[in-house]
Amino acid sequence: MRIVLVYLGTTIPKIFWLNVRHLLSIQQDYQIDIVTNQVNLHVPIEDSRLNQFSYFPRHETSNLLDSLELDTKFRDGFWRLSLERLFAFTQHHMEHPEDSLLHVESDVLLLKNFPLHSFENITNLAWSRVDSHRDVAAIVYSSNSKSSQWLDEKMQAIIKAADEMDDMRMLSQISASNPNMVTILPSLPRIDSEL
């Protein structure tokens, strides 16, 4: 398994590099792939477990994302980039099919006791649910490149049929209509939950 951090945008924030350092410090078993849309990226960390890859969107992906009605002024294109990072993840997996991939958002802090090895027992896609209409891509696991290709195709189909879309609603639609293909990762219940 490889841990993947995707950052699309013009300036990579300090928190991204702090998280990369942290991930390197809390585990010794997994390579960490940094996927960005920047060419000639200066990586301020030297470690043999750290790999940098450039993401170049496929023409059809760019056209699909261009067709959506998104607020492009909000945080320098946040809505598009949050969707596109999932395509960067699936495309990265198709270019490196030999391993399973665990995508971790750059602002998600994994603690030393986070069960990284447990993901190796999951045989399909996995991510977390927010509510009945939204899932979250804070952590996305893909057991193999065929699963990532399937996810890519499902995302394309949803965007083709939509005028507006965000990553959370898109993932929710995919998991709701394909429960045998997506494992919902466990999360803590609310304190006021009656479950």
Side-chain angles (χ1 to χ4, degrees), residues 121-134:
N121 299 322
I122 299 173
T123 58
N124 53 8
L125 295 160
W127 56 72
S128 296
R129 176 159 290 145
V130 174
D131 57 31
S132 61
H133 302 292
R134 297 174 300 161

Side-chain angles (χ1 to χ4, degrees), residues 31-189:
Q31 294 284 311
I32 297 177
D33 294 350
I34 296 170
V35 179
T36 70
N37 59 347
Q38 297 185 18
V39 180
N40 300 321
L41 174 69
H42 170 68
V43 178
I45 303 166
E46 287 189 32
D47 192 294
S48 61
R49 293 173 293 145
L50 189 59
N51 312 286
Q52 190 270 326
F53 298 94
S54 295
Y55 163 72
F56 300 101
R58 296 180 312 246
H59 185 67
E60 60 271 16
T61 301
S62 287
N63 287 344
L64 276 174
L65 294 170
D66 287 344
S67 72
L68 289 173
E69 295 175 15
L70 300 170
D71 180 358
T72 57
K73 294 177 183 171
F74 178 74
R75 289 176 50 190
D76 297 321
F78 172 82
W79 297 114
R80 179 193 172 111
L81 295 175
S82 67
L83 277 167
E84 191 167 9
R85 73 182 158 133
L86 294 171
F87 286 103
F89 172 74
T90 58
Q91 186 174 312
H92 180 67
H93 205 173
M94 288 180 247
E95 293 171 4
H96 304 280
E98 64 283 352
D99 292 310
S100 58
L101 299 185
L102 179 68
H103 166 267
V104 178
E105 284 184 349
S106 59
D107 61 352
V108 171
L109 178 67
L110 301 184
L111 301 181
K112 192 169 187 160
N113 64 348
F114 185 80
L116 287 167
H117 292 287
S118 297
F119 284 90
E120 295 172 7
N121 299 322
I122 299 173
T123 58
N124 53 8
L125 295 160
W127 56 72
S128 296
R129 176 159 290 145
V130 174
D131 57 31
S132 61
H133 302 292
R134 297 174 300 161
D135 290 356
V136 64
I139 296 172
V140 176
Y141 176 75
S142 180
S143 60
N144 57 63
S145 60
K146 287 182 181 179
S147 292
S148 286
Q149 180 158 1
W150 178 88
L151 176 59
D152 192 278
E153 291 166 2
K154 292 296 179 188
M155 293 189 304
Q156 287 183 48
I158 287 172
I159 291 174
K160 281 179 187 172
D163 293 328
E164 295 180 21
M165 184 53 59
D166 62 57
D167 58 325
M168 297 175 85
R169 288 185 298 138
M170 181 176 65
L171 289 176
S172 179
Q173 286 181 28
I174 293 169
S175 67
S177 59
N178 302 279
N180 60 326
M181 295 292 291
V182 180
T183 297
I184 299 300
L185 298 173
S187 59
L188 293 174

